[in-house]
Amino acid sequence: QLQLQESGPGLVKPSETLSLTCTVSGGSISSSSYYWGWIRQPPGKGLEWIGSIYYSGSTYYNPSLKSRVTISVDTSKNQFSLKLSSVTAADTAVYYCVTSGGDYYGMDVWGQGTTVTVSS
Amino acid sequence: EIVLTQSPGTLSLSPGERATLSCRASQSVSSSYLAWYQQKPGQAPRLLIYGASSRATGIPDRFSGSGSGTDFTLTISRLEPEDFAVYYCQQYGSSPRWTFGQGTKVEIK
């Protein structure tokens, strides 16, 4: 069964780039899922989709974040990553990596989440 | 952009009671690409329902989903103590590709 684990700095300075990695275990990132993605949740608030990368290599981003987001896959490390540039305090959140067997099937595997605080 | 509105914001019920949660979309959701998630404090969300009415693997049959078009419902037939949590609906669309409702909290009365 697939498992996901987020990693990365817990504190990022304003205007810098937030970089997170999601390590996939229990299967190959090259063949195990339909898409890989990132979701975030600001403190005390709801869930926000950040973006997804599909098995085909296509990427889709939330229009509200598109100019600042990059999602990529590293098959050699069985990982995928998130980069969010020019962060502000509004980017403080718990960041989750997710995967799914298909758009119809919902996001059925989630990482435990990692808290990122943007502060000087 | 499709906006999902969940109601009520908070549902206060007792164990054993029936919970009915609503998710209304501002436009028709294509092919019932509608999912429901449960989130407990300090935990990641868990997929409950996909395709509007199909239970995810390992989800008890007291959870059921229904609806189509713009109106969807999550029903918990008899609340167990572990069911008190926040529930989110989610839809697949064009842009943004995925959106979530704001959540409904089911709390112990």
Side-chain angles (χ1 to χ4, degrees):
Chain A
Q1 182 167 346
L2 284 177
Q3 291 186 306
L4 307 178
Q5 178 66 59
E6 305 89 350
S7 59
L11 180 64
V12 180
K13 291 182 167 54
S15 80
E16 294 189 344
T17 296
L18 178 161
S19 295
L20 296 176
T21 297
C22 184
T23 299
V24 179
S25 58
S28 169
I29 198 169
S30 301
S31 59
S32 297
S33 280
Y34 188 66
Y35 69 75
W36 311 90
W38 292 91
I39 305 292
R40 71 180 183 179
Q41 185 171 36
K45 296 187 177 181
L47 303 166
E48 179 181 34
W49 172 71
I50 298 171
S52 302
I53 184 165
Y54 283 65
Y55 71 96
S56 61
S58 298
T59 52
Y60 296 87
Y61 301 128
N62 191 319
S64 66
L65 300 169
K66 187 175 182 178
S67 62
R68 300 193 290 132
V69 174
T70 303
I71 295 176
S72 59
V73 169
D74 186 337
T75 54
S76 67
K77 295 182 179 179
N78 226 34
Q79 296 174 335
F80 62 103
S81 65
L82 168 70
K83 292 189 185 301
L84 181 65
S85 65
S86 305
V87 298
T88 69
D91 295 309
T92 294
V94 176
Y95 286 76
Y96 297 99
C97 55
V98 299
T99 189
S100 171
D103 291 327
Y104 178 77
Y105 298 103
M107 296 172 179
D108 58 345
V109 182
W110 292 64
Q112 66 184 27
T114 187
T115 299
V116 178
T117 301
V118 179
S119 175
S120 56
Chain B
E1 175 182 347
I2 296 179
V3 176
L4 298 179
T5 302
Q6 292 187 240
S7 61
T10 302
L11 198 51
S12 299
L13 295 169
S14 301
E17 290 193 296
R18 182 184 187 90
T20 303
L21 287 66
S22 173
C23 176
R24 178 162 290 177
S26 59
Q27 304 171 43
S28 183
V29 175
S30 61
S31 305
S32 294
Y33 280 39
L34 192 288
W36 290 92
Y37 298 83
Q38 176 194 68
Q39 187 179 33
K40 297 179 182 179
Q43 296 185 18
R46 176 176 71 146
L47 177 66
L48 298 176
I49 301 288
Y50 65 90
S53 61
S54 298
R55 274 187 300 276
T57 303
I59 301 303
D61 60 7
R62 65 180 180 272
F63 291 92
S64 63
S66 63
S68 64
T70 60
D71 290 296
F72 298 87
T73 300
L74 175 69
T75 301
I76 311 171
S77 59
R78 287 189 342 195
L79 283 164
E80 297 287 342
E82 61 268 28
D83 298 337
F84 292 91
V86 179
Y87 294 83
Y88 294 94
C89 58
Q90 177 203 44
Q91 69 86 33
Y92 165 87
S94 56
S95 182
R97 203 164 183 89
W98 294 103
T99 55
F100 290 90
Q102 82 279 16
T104 289
K105 181 179 182 180
V106 178
E107 65 176 22
I108 299 177
K109 186 175 182 180

